[in-house]
Short mmCIF file of all heavy atoms in Angstrom, two decimals:
data_model
loop_
_atom_site.label_atom_id
_atom_site.label_comp_id
_atom_site.label_asym_id
_atom_site.label_seq_id
_atom_site.Cartn_x
_atom_site.Cartn_y
_atom_site.Cartn_z
N MET A 914 39.12 257.63 -31.29
CA MET A 914 40.00 257.03 -32.30
C MET A 914 39.38 257.21 -33.69
O MET A 914 38.26 256.78 -33.93
CB MET A 914 40.21 255.53 -32.04
CG MET A 914 41.28 254.95 -32.94
SD MET A 914 41.43 253.16 -32.89
CE MET A 914 41.85 252.84 -31.22
N HIS A 915 40.13 257.84 -34.57
CA HIS A 915 39.66 258.05 -35.94
C HIS A 915 39.98 256.79 -36.77
O HIS A 915 41.16 256.52 -37.02
CB HIS A 915 40.37 259.24 -36.59
CG HIS A 915 40.12 260.55 -35.89
ND1 HIS A 915 39.41 261.57 -36.47
CD2 HIS A 915 40.49 261.00 -34.66
CE1 HIS A 915 39.36 262.61 -35.63
NE2 HIS A 915 40.01 262.27 -34.52
N CYS A 916 38.95 256.05 -37.15
CA CYS A 916 39.16 254.91 -38.06
C CYS A 916 38.61 255.35 -39.40
O CYS A 916 37.67 254.77 -39.95
CB CYS A 916 38.43 253.67 -37.56
SG CYS A 916 38.88 253.19 -35.90
N THR A 917 39.15 256.44 -39.89
CA THR A 917 38.53 257.17 -41.00
C THR A 917 39.35 257.07 -42.29
O THR A 917 39.19 257.90 -43.18
CB THR A 917 38.37 258.65 -40.57
OG1 THR A 917 39.51 259.03 -39.77
CG2 THR A 917 37.14 258.83 -39.73
N GLY A 918 40.19 256.09 -42.36
CA GLY A 918 40.89 255.82 -43.61
C GLY A 918 42.11 256.71 -43.83
O GLY A 918 42.61 257.36 -42.91
N TYR A 919 42.54 256.70 -45.09
CA TYR A 919 43.85 257.28 -45.43
C TYR A 919 43.76 258.15 -46.68
O TYR A 919 42.80 258.06 -47.43
CB TYR A 919 44.84 256.13 -45.66
CG TYR A 919 45.07 255.33 -44.40
CD1 TYR A 919 44.20 254.28 -44.05
CD2 TYR A 919 46.09 255.65 -43.53
CE1 TYR A 919 44.37 253.55 -42.87
CE2 TYR A 919 46.28 254.94 -42.36
CZ TYR A 919 45.42 253.90 -42.03
OH TYR A 919 45.60 253.21 -40.86
N LYS A 920 44.84 258.93 -46.87
CA LYS A 920 44.93 259.78 -48.07
C LYS A 920 46.02 259.22 -48.99
O LYS A 920 47.06 258.77 -48.49
CB LYS A 920 45.38 261.19 -47.68
CG LYS A 920 44.47 261.94 -46.77
CD LYS A 920 45.09 263.32 -46.56
CE LYS A 920 44.81 263.83 -45.19
NZ LYS A 920 45.61 264.95 -44.78
N TYR A 921 45.80 259.33 -50.28
CA TYR A 921 46.89 259.02 -51.22
C TYR A 921 47.98 260.06 -50.99
O TYR A 921 47.70 261.25 -50.81
CB TYR A 921 46.41 259.12 -52.67
CG TYR A 921 45.37 258.08 -53.01
CD1 TYR A 921 44.01 258.37 -52.95
CD2 TYR A 921 45.76 256.81 -53.41
CE1 TYR A 921 43.06 257.41 -53.27
CE2 TYR A 921 44.81 255.84 -53.74
CZ TYR A 921 43.47 256.15 -53.66
OH TYR A 921 42.54 255.20 -53.97
N HIS A 922 49.20 259.59 -51.01
CA HIS A 922 50.30 260.51 -50.69
C HIS A 922 51.55 260.06 -51.45
O HIS A 922 51.99 258.91 -51.31
CB HIS A 922 50.54 260.42 -49.17
CG HIS A 922 51.44 261.49 -48.64
ND1 HIS A 922 51.29 262.81 -48.93
CD2 HIS A 922 52.52 261.40 -47.80
CE1 HIS A 922 52.23 263.52 -48.31
NE2 HIS A 922 52.99 262.68 -47.63
N PHE A 923 52.08 260.96 -52.25
CA PHE A 923 53.27 260.64 -53.05
C PHE A 923 54.31 261.74 -52.80
O PHE A 923 54.55 262.57 -53.69
CB PHE A 923 52.90 260.56 -54.54
CG PHE A 923 51.73 259.65 -54.82
CD1 PHE A 923 50.45 260.18 -55.00
CD2 PHE A 923 51.89 258.28 -54.85
CE1 PHE A 923 49.37 259.35 -55.22
CE2 PHE A 923 50.81 257.44 -55.08
CZ PHE A 923 49.54 257.97 -55.26
N PRO A 924 54.91 261.75 -51.61
CA PRO A 924 55.76 262.88 -51.25
C PRO A 924 56.97 263.02 -52.17
O PRO A 924 57.57 264.10 -52.25
CB PRO A 924 56.21 262.55 -49.81
CG PRO A 924 55.95 261.10 -49.62
CD PRO A 924 54.84 260.73 -50.55
N PHE A 925 57.34 261.96 -52.86
CA PHE A 925 58.54 261.96 -53.72
C PHE A 925 58.24 262.37 -55.16
O PHE A 925 59.14 262.58 -55.95
CB PHE A 925 59.17 260.55 -53.72
CG PHE A 925 58.15 259.46 -53.95
CD1 PHE A 925 57.70 259.15 -55.22
CD2 PHE A 925 57.60 258.76 -52.87
CE1 PHE A 925 56.75 258.17 -55.43
CE2 PHE A 925 56.64 257.78 -53.06
CZ PHE A 925 56.21 257.49 -54.35
N LEU A 926 56.98 262.45 -55.51
CA LEU A 926 56.63 262.62 -56.92
C LEU A 926 56.58 264.09 -57.30
O LEU A 926 55.86 264.88 -56.69
CB LEU A 926 55.26 261.96 -57.15
CG LEU A 926 54.84 261.76 -58.60
CD1 LEU A 926 55.85 260.90 -59.35
CD2 LEU A 926 53.46 261.11 -58.65
N ASP A 927 57.38 264.45 -58.31
CA ASP A 927 57.44 265.83 -58.74
C ASP A 927 57.13 265.89 -60.24
O ASP A 927 58.01 265.69 -61.07
CB ASP A 927 58.86 266.37 -58.43
CG ASP A 927 59.04 267.80 -58.88
OD1 ASP A 927 58.08 268.39 -59.41
OD2 ASP A 927 60.15 268.32 -58.70
N THR A 928 55.86 266.13 -60.55
CA THR A 928 55.46 266.15 -61.97
C THR A 928 55.09 267.56 -62.40
O THR A 928 54.40 267.74 -63.39
CB THR A 928 54.25 265.21 -62.20
OG1 THR A 928 53.16 265.70 -61.41
CG2 THR A 928 54.56 263.78 -61.88
N ASN A 929 55.50 268.52 -61.63
CA ASN A 929 55.19 269.92 -61.95
C ASN A 929 53.67 270.15 -62.04
O ASN A 929 53.19 270.85 -62.93
CB ASN A 929 55.86 270.27 -63.29
CG ASN A 929 56.33 271.70 -63.27
OD1 ASN A 929 56.14 272.41 -62.27
ND2 ASN A 929 56.92 272.15 -64.37
N GLY A 930 52.96 269.51 -61.15
CA GLY A 930 51.50 269.73 -61.09
C GLY A 930 50.70 268.97 -62.12
O GLY A 930 49.48 269.14 -62.23
N ILE A 931 51.36 268.09 -62.89
CA ILE A 931 50.60 267.37 -63.94
C ILE A 931 49.80 266.22 -63.32
O ILE A 931 48.66 265.96 -63.69
CB ILE A 931 51.55 266.88 -65.06
CG1 ILE A 931 52.08 268.10 -65.79
CG2 ILE A 931 50.85 265.93 -66.02
CD1 ILE A 931 53.10 267.83 -66.86
N VAL A 932 50.40 265.52 -62.35
CA VAL A 932 49.64 264.49 -61.61
C VAL A 932 49.40 265.05 -60.21
O VAL A 932 50.34 265.44 -59.53
CB VAL A 932 50.43 263.17 -61.52
CG1 VAL A 932 49.61 262.12 -60.78
CG2 VAL A 932 50.82 262.67 -62.89
N THR A 933 48.15 265.10 -59.81
CA THR A 933 47.83 265.72 -58.51
C THR A 933 46.95 264.78 -57.67
O THR A 933 46.38 263.82 -58.19
CB THR A 933 47.03 267.03 -58.71
OG1 THR A 933 45.83 266.71 -59.42
CG2 THR A 933 47.83 268.07 -59.46
N VAL A 934 46.89 265.10 -56.39
CA VAL A 934 45.90 264.44 -55.51
C VAL A 934 44.96 265.56 -55.05
O VAL A 934 45.38 266.49 -54.36
CB VAL A 934 46.56 263.78 -54.29
CG1 VAL A 934 45.50 263.07 -53.45
CG2 VAL A 934 47.65 262.79 -54.72
N ASP A 935 43.71 265.47 -55.50
CA ASP A 935 42.74 266.51 -55.17
C ASP A 935 41.55 265.84 -54.48
O ASP A 935 40.84 265.05 -55.11
CB ASP A 935 42.31 267.19 -56.49
CG ASP A 935 41.20 268.21 -56.27
OD1 ASP A 935 40.95 268.59 -55.11
OD2 ASP A 935 40.58 268.61 -57.28
N ASP A 936 41.35 266.14 -53.21
CA ASP A 936 40.29 265.51 -52.43
C ASP A 936 40.32 263.98 -52.60
O ASP A 936 39.30 263.34 -52.82
CB ASP A 936 38.92 266.09 -52.83
CG ASP A 936 37.83 265.70 -51.84
OD1 ASP A 936 38.16 265.24 -50.73
OD2 ASP A 936 36.64 265.83 -52.19
N ASN A 937 41.50 263.45 -52.51
CA ASN A 937 41.77 262.01 -52.64
C ASN A 937 41.48 261.43 -54.02
O ASN A 937 41.30 260.22 -54.17
CB ASN A 937 41.05 261.21 -51.54
CG ASN A 937 42.05 260.37 -50.77
OD1 ASN A 937 43.26 260.63 -50.79
ND2 ASN A 937 41.58 259.33 -50.12
N ARG A 938 41.42 262.29 -55.02
CA ARG A 938 41.39 261.80 -56.41
C ARG A 938 42.80 261.95 -56.97
O ARG A 938 43.34 263.06 -57.02
CB ARG A 938 40.42 262.63 -57.25
CG ARG A 938 40.54 262.33 -58.74
CD ARG A 938 39.61 263.20 -59.57
NE ARG A 938 38.23 262.75 -59.47
CZ ARG A 938 37.20 263.42 -60.00
NH1 ARG A 938 37.40 264.56 -60.65
NH2 ARG A 938 35.98 262.96 -59.87
N VAL A 939 43.40 260.82 -57.36
CA VAL A 939 44.73 260.88 -57.99
C VAL A 939 44.46 261.02 -59.49
O VAL A 939 43.80 260.16 -60.09
CB VAL A 939 45.53 259.58 -57.74
CG1 VAL A 939 46.95 259.73 -58.27
CG2 VAL A 939 45.53 259.21 -56.27
N GLY A 940 44.98 262.09 -60.08
CA GLY A 940 44.62 262.23 -61.48
C GLY A 940 45.46 263.25 -62.22
O GLY A 940 46.26 263.96 -61.62
N PRO A 941 45.24 263.25 -63.53
CA PRO A 941 44.35 262.36 -64.25
C PRO A 941 45.03 261.01 -64.49
O PRO A 941 46.21 260.96 -64.84
CB PRO A 941 44.13 263.08 -65.57
CG PRO A 941 45.37 263.92 -65.75
CD PRO A 941 45.90 264.25 -64.39
N LEU A 942 44.28 259.93 -64.33
CA LEU A 942 44.82 258.59 -64.55
C LEU A 942 43.89 257.81 -65.47
O LEU A 942 42.68 257.72 -65.20
CB LEU A 942 44.92 257.80 -63.25
CG LEU A 942 46.00 258.17 -62.22
CD1 LEU A 942 45.96 257.17 -61.08
CD2 LEU A 942 47.38 258.21 -62.85
#
Side-chain angles (χ1 to χ4, degrees):
M914 189 189 299
H915 298 247
C916 303
T917 36
Y919 296 85
K920 298 182 213 165
Y921 294 96
H922 191 49
F923 308 99
F925 48 81
L926 193 59
D927 178 1
T928 61
N929 215 359
I931 292 176
V932 181
T933 59
V934 182
D935 175 14
D936 193 15
N937 236 19
R938 170 183 285 173
V939 187
L942 288 185

